[in-house]
Amino acid sequence: MKFHLFPKIFLCLCLAGVVSQAQETVESVSRQIKSVEAETAREKSLHDAEKKRHSEFIEVGRKKVQALASQNKTLKSEIDSLKAELKNLADARQKAMGTVKYFENRKAKYGESLAKVIDSLVPVFESDFPYRNDETIKSVQEIANQLHKGLIEADDGLNRTLEVFYDRIRLGYTTEVYKGFLQVDARNVPGTFLRYGAVSSVFVSNDGNDVLWLARTSDGGYSWKNVSDDLNMRSVLKDVMKVAEGKTAPRLVTIPVAIPKEDK
């Protein structure tokens, strides 16, 4: 009886050990499975997050590509617009250059024509009242020459010519007394000149022997008339000179004026 009981007890103990060992094995396997499942879940979560980030990256890239494409289209449109504008500007510039060239040619022709007109004034000043005519003619010729060479603008040349005319016009309402020399016959006589306007002039030599006055001739020119032998005219002109020089009290004096007769 005792012999049979021991094996049974041993068998039970063995079975209990096996069961205990089996339970431990099951629990270990269960823990490993849970661990694997947790790791799998974690990797799945990481995979999903990575997948989401990749999807977002793709979406951002797609939007950037679309934005760049839109910008490229806009830039291309702006470039085309600028090209068209540049072409319009080039056409306008070409047209403006043609217009400028046209007016430059007209300006040059006008300057040349004006120079010829100013040149033609020389005979007018040569026959004008004989006072500083050489200076006036030289000024006019210089203006015309500068216009011919294009050294001055037409408006400048015109203004300078008008100034010469104004200087000559001012002769008509000014009086001047000055020293100088007058060719009398073959003698170069020193004396005093009196110019009254652009009408006439009086000359009295320093020694008082030569008295002349400038008068218009019948042909429209001017000539000096010697009145040294005409005692009355000589006295009158000397009085005129004294009043002009301030050597006597101011008073009205008689000034001879010769007016050419008109042809009938």
Side-chain angles (χ1 to χ4, degrees), residues 35-178:
S35 177
V36 170
E37 289 177 348
E39 182 66 21
T40 302
R42 188 180 70 82
E43 290 182 357
K44 185 175 182 301
S45 177
L46 291 174
H47 177 72
D48 292 341
E50 183 65 23
K51 184 178 179 181
K52 183 178 180 182
R53 284 196 298 271
H54 179 71
S55 177
E56 291 176 350
F57 176 78
I58 294 297
E59 182 64 19
V60 170
R62 185 181 65 81
K63 290 181 179 180
K64 287 184 177 181
V65 170
Q66 289 178 346
L68 289 174
S70 177
Q71 291 179 359
N72 186 44
K73 184 177 180 181
T74 302
L75 288 174
K76 187 176 182 302
S77 176
E78 291 179 355
I79 289 172
D80 292 340
S81 178
L82 288 174
K83 286 182 178 179
E85 185 66 21
L86 287 173
K87 185 178 183 303
N88 292 334
L89 289 174
D91 294 341
R93 182 182 178 185
Q94 189 68 24
K95 184 177 179 180
M97 288 179 63
T99 303
V100 169
K101 186 176 180 181
Y102 169 75
F103 281 105
E104 285 292 337
N105 291 335
R106 288 196 61 182
K107 183 178 179 182
K109 291 180 180 178
Y110 173 70
E112 189 66 23
S113 299
L114 181 61
K116 292 179 180 179
V117 171
I118 294 175
D119 265 334
S120 68
L121 296 175
V122 171
V124 176
F125 290 117
E126 286 176 343
S127 61
D128 194 19
F129 182 78
Y131 175 75
R132 300 174 64 178
N133 295 50
D134 292 340
E135 295 179 16
T136 302
I137 293 169
K138 183 178 179 181
S139 296
V140 170
Q141 289 175 335
E142 183 180 357
I143 294 170
N145 186 44
Q146 290 179 348
L147 280 172
H148 280 302
K149 294 180 179 180
L151 299 178
I152 59 175
E153 298 293 336
D155 53 350
D156 187 22
L158 182 59
N159 290 334
R160 288 170 59 181
T161 304
L162 291 175
E163 187 62 33
V164 172
F165 271 104
Y166 295 151
D167 286 339
R168 301 301 296 183
I169 291 172
R170 281 191 284 267
L171 295 178
Y173 53 86
T174 59
T175 301
E176 183 180 6
V177 177
Y178 59 96

Side-chain angles (χ1 to χ4, degrees), residues 175-182 189-196 200-214 224-225 227 232-256:
T175 301
E176 183 180 6
V177 177
Y178 59 96
K179 298 291 184 179
F181 291 85
L182 180 64
V189 180
T192 303
F193 289 87
L194 165 63
R195 177 187 61 78
Y196 45 99
S200 186
S201 291
V202 173
F203 175 80
V204 178
S205 63
N206 291 339
D207 56 13
N209 293 327
D210 294 294
V211 179
L212 299 92
W213 68 286
L214 186 66
W224 285 98
K225 290 188 177 182
V227 295
N232 184 35
M233 182 67 75
R234 179 189 181 93
S235 177
V236 169
L237 294 183
K238 282 188 174 183
D239 286 342
V240 169
M241 186 64 73
K242 288 179 181 179
V243 173
E245 290 182 298
K247 293 180 178 180
T248 185
R251 66 178 188 276
L252 293 175
V253 291
T254 301
I255 298 175

